[in-house]
Amino acid sequence: SQQGEEDPQALSIQEGENATMNCSYKTSINNLQWYRQNSGRGLVHLILIRSNEREKHSGRLRVTLDTSKKSSSLLITASRAADTASYFCVSRGSTLGRLYFGRGTQLTVWP
Amino acid sequence: GAGVSQSPRYKVAKRGQDVALRCDPISGHVSLFWYQQALGQGPEFLTYFQNEAQLDKSGLPSDRFFAERPEGSVSTLKIQRTQQEDSAVYLCASSSRDIAKNIQYFGAGTRLSVL
């Protein structure tokens, strides 16, 4: 079973706009990760935020984490057509190694 | 290559056939994972190896699914007597010993279609 839920399920924007995706998870975490999946490059790790961090940046990506609400958000600034993909919020379970994926947000960026 | 390699990329099987899916992890990665991804869903965990030891197989949906990693490198996921509901993309991932980061590197997957 999947333990995270991304919102919205689908998002469609124009190039240059910002895209915000949200995630809620159910269990306590040590860290939370975001992955991206597209047909060209498969499933790729984007960014990891630890449970004692509130915000993290990587290039055009900004991730926030609110452990009290068990929620996270991913912001992609100045989006490009190449950002078109599914984005997954991923938590690690208590069992060593196992990752839990949500259903993902399908982002479409129009040129 | 430097990444996780899976073969075949596509597999079509008739219902009842046995299939074997192969995964070559990144060299030196001790942890190897198998996931199943149905259409429109996120990947779901199947099983986990640390070196040759299968430490968690709780995600395998039935006893028709079997995975092995005999020498701690290449892994094979075998599905016996395939059924239509087994149709999915099977993803393999590997990660290094740095469990605190637990970043997993995924292969391109094997798309299995059971007719």
Side-chain angles (χ1 to χ4, degrees):
Chain A
S1 63
Q2 295 168 332
Q3 296 197 5
E5 287 294 334
E6 291 88 352
D7 174 62
Q9 289 188 358
L11 180 60
S12 186
I13 60 174
Q14 295 291 130
E15 261 190 332
E17 293 181 339
N18 295 341
T20 299
M21 289 159 269
N22 301 297
C23 160
S24 59
Y25 58 91
K26 298 180 182 178
T27 60
S28 297
I29 58 170
N30 291 323
N31 62 60
L32 188 128
Q33 303 175 48
W34 286 85
Y35 280 74
R36 178 181 66 200
Q37 186 177 40
N38 60 28
S39 58
R41 294 193 60 192
L43 192 59
V44 175
H45 175 267
L46 290 178
I47 192 167
L48 178 150
I49 184 166
R50 301 188 192 285
S51 59
N52 61 354
E53 296 176 312
R54 292 295 168 260
E55 187 172 309
K56 194 163 184 179
H57 296 252
S58 177
R60 294 184 295 112
L61 305 179
R62 181 173 78 99
V63 171
T64 63
L65 180 64
D66 186 337
T67 53
S68 66
K69 296 181 180 178
K70 290 188 167 59
S71 67
S72 174
S73 69
L74 172 67
L75 169 68
I76 304 173
T77 60
S79 62
R80 306 166 182 168
D83 295 330
T84 294
S86 292
Y87 290 82
F88 295 94
C89 158
V90 182
S91 58
R92 181 164 66 92
S94 56
T95 304
L96 195 63
R98 181 174 187 163
L99 295 182
Y100 292 96
F101 288 77
R103 284 191 174 83
T105 292
Q106 174 60 50
L107 172 67
T108 303
V109 182
W110 298 100
Chain B
V4 177
S5 178
Q6 292 187 247
S7 61
R9 286 295 311 276
Y10 304 92
K11 177 68 179 178
V12 179
K14 292 183 179 179
R15 192 173 61 175
Q17 278 186 333
D18 297 349
V19 298
L21 312 179
R22 177 188 169 104
C23 172
D24 281 88
I26 292 172
S27 178
H29 278 191
V30 300
S31 298
L32 185 145
F33 307 83
W34 284 98
Y35 293 84
Q36 180 191 58
Q37 186 174 22
L39 189 64
Q41 304 292 317
E44 291 213 18
F45 171 84
L46 293 176
T47 187
Y48 160 54
F49 290 86
Q50 184 168 317
N51 295 307
E52 69 278 4
Q54 190 174 19
L55 299 186
D56 186 353
K57 56 181 181 179
S58 61
L60 296 176
S62 77
D63 58 7
R64 295 185 297 104
F65 287 71
F66 173 77
E68 60 182 4
R69 194 186 185 197
E71 296 178 359
S73 55
V74 171
S75 177
T76 303
L77 176 67
K78 297 179 180 178
I79 309 173
Q80 297 177 323
R81 304 181 304 281
T82 53
Q83 301 178 5
Q84 284 189 323
E85 60 262 32
D86 299 336
S87 296
V89 176
Y90 290 85
L91 296 167
C92 175
S94 69
S95 69
S96 69
R97 206 178 275 278
D98 191 349
I99 299 298
K101 289 188 176 181
N102 197 37
I103 294 172
Q104 296 184 15
Y105 299 87
F106 284 81
T110 294
R111 183 178 296 276
L112 173 64
S113 298
V114 182
L115 307 179

